[in-house]
Amino acid sequence: MSEAPTLDPTRRARLQQMYGSLSDHGMAPLWESLHSLVKPTPRSQTVPAKWDYARVVRPFLMECGDLITAKEAERRVLILENPALRGSASITRSLYAGLQLILPGEIAPAHRHVQSALRFIVEGKGAYTSVNGERTIMKPGDFVLTPNWRWHDHGNETSEPMVWLDGLDIPLVLFLDASFAERSTADTQPVQKPADDSRLQFGNNLFPVDWKPGDKNSPLINYPYERSCETLDAMRRKQPPDLVHGYKLRYVNPATGKSPMPTIGAFIQLLPAHFKSAGYRSTDGTVYAVVEGEGRTVIGEQTFTWGPKDIFVVPSWHWHTHEASEDAVIFSFSDRPVQEDLGFWREERADTSYPYDTRST
Ligand code: GTQ
């Protein structure tokens, strides 16, 4: 589709003159920008990018640990900013990602906000997050929720640093001008529920008979890694990998079958050794965090090699393929549930053009 219409020089000059006055009155001519507003296909401002955990992110994070305490910072987090969206605390247009460090003996004080948060544990074992009075102990690969407006604080009573990936809907909430947040008077919430309460109450396919969900968020606050691995392994024993996704699972709210939080969808997938995926694109820009294994992802013309703990982002509607040189497990999150609820979400697969053979070397 063409951009602005081509007009003879006289009309063009008169129009240009009028545009100046229009703008003084808070108006603008639609025909000059129609096709960049109503685009025929998504053209994301977001660019593909990768963050190398061991070589780049971790050293900076540990330096932050020397320079500022978790309590002083309220949250000691390095934001992973998309190189094309600098200054906006965004890794995609709708989502935020950061790496949070809590050192032994530290706490991150209690607060709550409209923004929903997920944690995906990268390093360390045994620190806790408290969500509305329930503490959950975290270990690598666990997927932990802090849904909208729940009080939450974090603490590390172990002897090791604890690092996790934070995923929040900060840009989406800012876009909608709907942000509220408050600090608690107490830094640490009193423990009000038994250990593992939500998992025992809601994680066994049994709900209290009269329980009704209060909102769209999962009643579970921790989806432990061993359960994800068990499910991925069972899938692998049963069937060949999907040509695009390998073996891919979505985390669900057991009360609704939908995503654990309404604004962020989360996924975990296993790519068997030597798997090369078929091309794929979807409208949800997606953040990937590698748990285990090595491989590479080709996004358009760019190749990103990755290993454990690395993080990369695939923008909306960008063709990409994944290749694993050894068995690889990758976590990911996106705004897919928002787009699905609004009827926007689309995907496209190129299965036939990318044959693969898991036995080749
Ligand atoms: O742990 O509550 O990365 O409020 C950004 C904002 C983490 C948190 C972030 C937050 C948090």
Side-chain angles (χ1 to χ4, degrees), residues 18-290:
M18 184 185 69
Y19 293 166
S21 336
L22 277 177
S23 145
D24 293 342
H25 291 91
M27 291 182 278
L30 172 64
W31 58 89
E32 293 289 348
S33 56
L34 178 59
H35 298 136
S36 61
L37 297 173
V38 185
K39 300 177 193 177
T41 57
R43 286 227 193 95
S44 183
Q45 261 181 269
T46 311
V47 293
K50 183 194 91 171
W51 289 264
D52 184 315
Y53 182 75
R55 255 177 291 174
V56 179
V57 180
R58 192 178 194 280
F60 276 116
L61 209 46
M62 294 305 151
E63 194 177 343
C64 296
D66 285 340
L67 295 172
I68 186 166
T69 67
K71 194 172 164 182
E72 284 166 339
E74 188 168 335
R75 293 296 182 268
R76 184 174 51 219
V77 179
L78 284 177
I79 304 172
L80 306 182
E81 236 176 10
N82 192 284
L85 304 173
R86 285 201 209 285
S88 67
S90 305
I91 190 159
T92 68
R93 286 287 292 259
S94 57
L95 294 172
Y96 157 107
L99 282 156
Q100 178 157 182
L101 169 68
I102 308 245
L103 290 170
E106 286 194 315
I107 57 127
H111 70 192
R112 62 177 175 177
H113 36 68
V114 163
Q115 290 80 0
S116 298
L118 66 81
R119 332 267 168 211
F120 189 76
I121 314 312
V122 171
E123 176 181 332
K125 187 173 189 287
Y128 66 83
T129 285
S130 280
V131 182
N132 275 1
E134 177 180 343
R135 271 190 189 189
T136 185
I137 301 292
M138 304 180 284
K139 57 188 178 341
D142 287 359
F143 168 65
V144 175
L145 304 187
T146 313
N148 161 292
W149 212 241
R150 310 291 201 272
W151 290 108
H152 54 286
D153 57 273
H154 319 297
N156 183 354
E157 293 167 357
T158 78
S159 56
E160 300 293 327
M162 186 90 189
V163 179
W164 61 77
L165 173 69
D166 282 325
L168 287 89
D169 51 11
I170 288 175
L172 180 65
V173 174
L174 280 177
F175 175 77
L176 297 171
D177 279 337
S179 183
F180 288 91
E182 60 190 32
R183 264 290 283 274
S184 172
T185 47
D187 280 345
T188 301
Q189 295 176 67
V191 178
Q192 289 165 333
K193 295 178 188 157
D196 260 350
D197 187 52
S198 68
R199 189 182 62 77
L200 294 170
Q201 201 60 234
F202 299 102
N204 291 341
N205 298 318
L206 293 160
F207 287 6
V209 66
D210 286 324
W211 183 81
K212 296 271 183 309
D215 60 21
K216 297 182 174 180
N217 297 295
S218 174
L220 294 169
I221 60 173
N222 192 340
Y223 294 66
Y225 188 53
E226 65 271 18
R227 303 284 291 268
S228 309
C229 292
E230 193 180 28
T231 313
L232 287 170
D233 287 341
M235 213 173 164
R236 177 188 206 161
R237 281 194 297 273
K238 193 174 62 179
Q239 66 204 50
D242 177 87
L243 293 173
V244 159
H245 302 301
Y247 300 97
K248 186 167 182 178
L249 303 169
R250 62 185 178 93
Y251 291 91
V252 299
N253 172 350
T256 61
K258 297 178 75 168
S259 61
M261 299 185 291
T263 52
I264 314 180
F267 311 88
I268 193 159
Q269 70 199 97
L270 167 68
L271 308 177
H274 313 304
F275 177 78
K276 181 178 189 296
S277 74
Y280 181 73
R281 62 179 176 177
S282 60
T283 52
D284 54 325
T286 302
V287 180
Y288 291 86
V290 181

